[in-house]
Amino acid sequence: MQTIADSSPAQQPLINHPSQLPAVDKLLLSDTMQQLRQHYGLDACTQAVREVIGELRTRVLAGEALQLDHAQMLAMAQQRLEKRFAPRLRPVFNLTGTVLHTNLGRALLPQAAIDAVVQAMSAPANLEYDLEDGGRGDRDDLVESLICELTGAEAATIVNNNAAAVLLVLSTLALNKEVIVSRGELVEIGGAFRIPDVMTRAGARLVEVGTTNRTHAKDYAEAIGDSTAALMKVHCSNYAITGFTRSVSDADVAHIAHEHQLPTFVDLGSGTLVDLRDWGLPHEVTVRETVESGADIVTFSGDKLLGGPQAGIIVGKKALIAQIKKNPLKRALRVGKITMAALEPTLRLYLNPEKLAQELTTLRLFTRKAAEMQAQAELLQAPLQAALGSSFVVETAPMTSQIGSGALPVESLPSYGLKIHPASGKQAGRQLTELEARLRALPRPVIGRLHDDALWLDLRCLEASAQAAWLQQLPALTRQHKA
Ligand SMILES: *Cc1c(COP(=O)(O)O)cnc(C)c1O
């Protein structure tokens, strides 16, 4: 590729009239463009050159005298092409300490799911085809029995995400009718998912009972009337109400509902399929426990604690699931083959709990030992310090990770990582925000957390397999600083 180093701008004649600019065709015929064309194609190359010449013409017409040669103009066009063809969705290092980070794509999929996705994308599959009788199948059949086995539910169906699941359930059970919810459970999940709004969109009417901190069984019972379609419980995903509080258990709400021949619906949010205490983690109510408490319908996410692809899983009574599947919205909210391909092997990992913490990526991250992360921090400290130079001090430090995505909002996991602070107190805040931006500008951006006058890099999500790639771009951090 032609370089611009051999033509010093100082020797270039000034361009101060548009007629001195080269013709688009002339630049397109250059060796540089002929090479770029192999990669980007003629249309994109023509567009890039046109844009550069157009921009330069505007500058000249505005009175600017340009000191540019053709190679420099070609370099500008190349930059445009590179930018236009660069992927927007890029891998990053999640060192925020939040494992299920919604803005960073939540759960990382287990290898078995990744392999299945590649297969499903590259070959036809029996997504809705019954291989036994050659007739039409139902995509939910691929995972329904597995989900029922893992949750104790009678039936299951899958939609795009848990928000879709809640919408579909409410629209099926309660169209033009009332749903009773405690005032302590009217949650808002990030990204504008609010229970009252979803209720409205589903065509159901929200009946609030109790108060923010206290709701009693009689509050539910007294609110039941002719228009009541269901009693709903919402898991307080991203907050906790503490102090003088009272809420009614899933089992008691189910009992009240059933006395009135009404169904209960529990939006679990995260929903876990296993008792996390078995791995030394805090307890989060399982889907099975919720089903056993008498809930007629339970919904939860595929990419939170479950550790699979984005999906909404609806489980419950057979007759209700059948009704839900008949709702025309189901067709609009259904999942594609890529999701199905990822979900099935993820669920199957749960059949062998002994290997779960090894195979299920999210659980492996949750259960990483602080000592292991400490050893990793000690190993990475010197190279990072060397890359950053003397203006920053890099220390190893204990920290706490969060599960994220609203699961167990008040619980944290003891972790370890690197804590960076400016060597001098002068404009420490600005130095830190600049450092944070530099890390974000790396080829594979490193996302940390500014906290307590330091930049914290929690190593929980930097597994050994990714460590080499992390180390490899440290020289870029140094170069970028010098640039
Ligand atoms: C996360 C969550 C949702 C939304 O689930 P998505 O899978 O993000 O659509 C709904 N309700 C609760 C209680 C949640 O925690």
Side-chain angles (χ1 to χ4, degrees):
M1 218 148 279
Q2 224 166 311
T3 62
I4 55 171
D6 54 350
S7 58
S8 146
Q11 293 157 8
Q12 296 307 313
L14 284 179
I15 300 174
N16 46 29
H17 190 273
S19 64
Q20 290 164 276
L21 288 167
V24 170
D25 285 346
K26 178 152 190 228
L27 290 187
L28 279 174
L29 286 172
S30 66
D31 286 349
T32 305
M33 270 301 148
Q34 291 303 313
Q35 274 178 42
L36 290 173
R37 191 181 153 180
Q38 302 289 321
H39 189 59
Y40 300 112
L42 180 60
D43 285 355
C45 287
T46 309
Q47 186 184 329
V49 171
R50 274 212 188 107
E51 283 172 5
V52 169
I53 300 297
E55 182 199 308
L56 297 178
R57 177 176 294 114
T58 310
R59 283 166 59 184
V60 170
L61 287 175
E64 200 179 327
L66 302 172
Q67 213 158 45
L68 287 171
D69 63 11
H70 291 187
Q72 285 167 308
M73 294 177 198
L74 289 167
M76 288 166 74
Q78 181 171 354
Q79 248 177 19
R80 275 170 190 265
L81 286 163
E82 280 166 1
K83 198 163 165 213
R84 185 164 168 222
F85 280 78
R88 294 288 178 90
L89 184 66
R90 291 159 58 198
V92 303
F93 288 105
N94 172 12
L95 305 192
T96 60
T98 300
V99 180
L100 297 172
H101 198 301
T102 297
N103 304 139
L104 301 180
R106 289 196 187 155
L108 298 178
L109 293 182
Q111 192 56 47
I114 296 164
D115 296 343
V117 164
V118 172
Q119 274 277 324
M121 288 193 296
S122 42
N126 59 325
L127 181 65
E128 285 191 344
Y129 183 80
D130 190 329
L131 291 172
E132 312 249 294
D133 66 12
R136 193 193 160 124
D138 177 341
R139 60 186 71 197
D140 284 337
D141 290 348
L142 299 166
V143 291
E144 186 176 21
S145 58
L146 202 46
I147 294 172
C148 292
E149 189 185 336
L150 295 168
T151 61
E154 289 176 9
T157 181
I158 315 295
V159 288
N160 180 58
N161 56 13
N162 188 39
V166 173
L167 180 75
L168 182 62
V169 169
L170 289 173
S171 141
T172 308
L173 299 184
L175 188 64
N176 300 322
K177 297 184 103 184
E178 291 172 356
V179 178
I180 301 171
V181 188
S182 159
R183 287 198 171 89
E185 298 175 2
L186 297 174
V187 308
E188 171 178 317
I189 315 291
F193 173 90
R194 290 171 154 190
I195 292 295
D197 298 343
V198 176
M199 194 78 79
T200 308
R201 287 292 167 163
R205 281 195 306 279
L206 169 66
V207 175
E208 301 174 22
V209 296
T211 61
T212 304
N213 57 328
R214 288 172 75 86
T215 300
H216 305 264
K218 70 170 177 18
D219 294 329
Y220 286 95
E222 285 168 6
I224 294 174
D226 292 342
S227 312
T228 308
L231 270 53
M232 179 180 184
K233 287 278 291 174
V234 186
H235 193 65
C236 300
S237 293
N238 43 12
Y239 65 105
I241 295 178
T242 57
F244 183 58
T245 66
R246 189 182 181 93
S247 64
V248 186
S249 70
D250 292 350
D252 288 345
V253 171
H255 185 74
I256 298 164
H258 296 161
E259 272 182 352
H260 294 82
Q261 282 80 49
L262 291 169
T264 55
F265 161 32
V266 179
D267 173 17
L268 256 190
S270 198
T272 167
L273 298 177
V274 285
D275 188 339
L276 294 172
R277 285 173 300 194
D278 294 348
W279 287 271
L281 296 165
H283 181 247
E284 168 87 359
V285 64
T286 67
V287 179
R288 182 181 292 276
E289 284 164 354
T290 310
V291 168
E292 283 172 357
S293 76
D296 300 283
I297 292 289
V298 183
T299 64
F300 53 102
S301 295
D303 56 353
K304 291 186 180 173
L305 281 176
L306 195 146
Q310 178 188 304
I313 302 172
I314 308 173
V315 302
K317 295 279 154 56
K318 216 178 181 114
L320 292 176
I321 295 289
Q323 227 182 307
I324 288 166
K325 289 178 72 154
K326 283 205 210 94
N327 186 326
L329 270 182
K330 168 67 173 36
R331 176 65 174 74
L333 301 174
R334 74 180 187 187
V335 296
K337 63 178 177 182
I338 296 174
T339 303
M340 275 300 181
L343 185 59
E344 190 195 347
T346 305
L347 291 167
R348 195 157 278 123
L349 291 180
Y350 283 89
L351 296 178
N352 183 1
E354 285 160 55
K355 282 180 80 181
L356 198 60
Q358 194 183 319
E359 308 272 332
L360 188 70
T361 310
T362 46
L363 191 58
R364 193 168 67 232
L365 293 173
F366 294 148
T367 54
R368 277 191 76 190
K369 301 269 178 294
E372 182 194 322
M373 292 178 274
Q374 180 175 2
Q376 192 182 15
E378 280 157 10
L379 187 85
L380 299 180
Q381 187 231 351
L384 181 61
Q385 180 68 74
L388 288 176
S390 57
S391 35
F392 289 98
V393 178
V394 182
E395 293 173 321
T396 64
M399 36 194 85
T400 48
S401 318
Q402 293 220 329
I403 288 185
S405 277
L408 301 163
V410 288
E411 307 278 356
S412 49
L413 312 169
S415 179
Y416 227 89
L418 297 165
K419 199 173 142 187
I420 313 167
H421 58 87
S424 113
K426 251 197 303 180
Q427 293 191 304
R430 215 197 65 207
Q431 289 193 66
L432 274 177
T433 46
E434 275 173 16
L435 176 65
E436 191 234 7
R438 278 170 64 197
L439 287 166
R440 258 191 290 117
L442 286 168
R444 180 164 167 184
V446 173
I447 319 289
R449 187 164 55 100
L450 286 173
H451 170 66
D452 220 3
D453 299 325
L455 181 62
W456 300 62
L457 303 179
D458 186 316
L459 294 176
R460 177 174 297 278
C461 295
L462 186 69
E463 288 197 284
S465 54
Q467 187 174 294
W470 190 87
L471 279 167
Q472 234 163 41
Q473 64 172 5
L474 288 181
L477 193 60
T478 314
R479 275 198 305 278
Q480 173 206 53
H481 191 43
K482 295 201 171 118

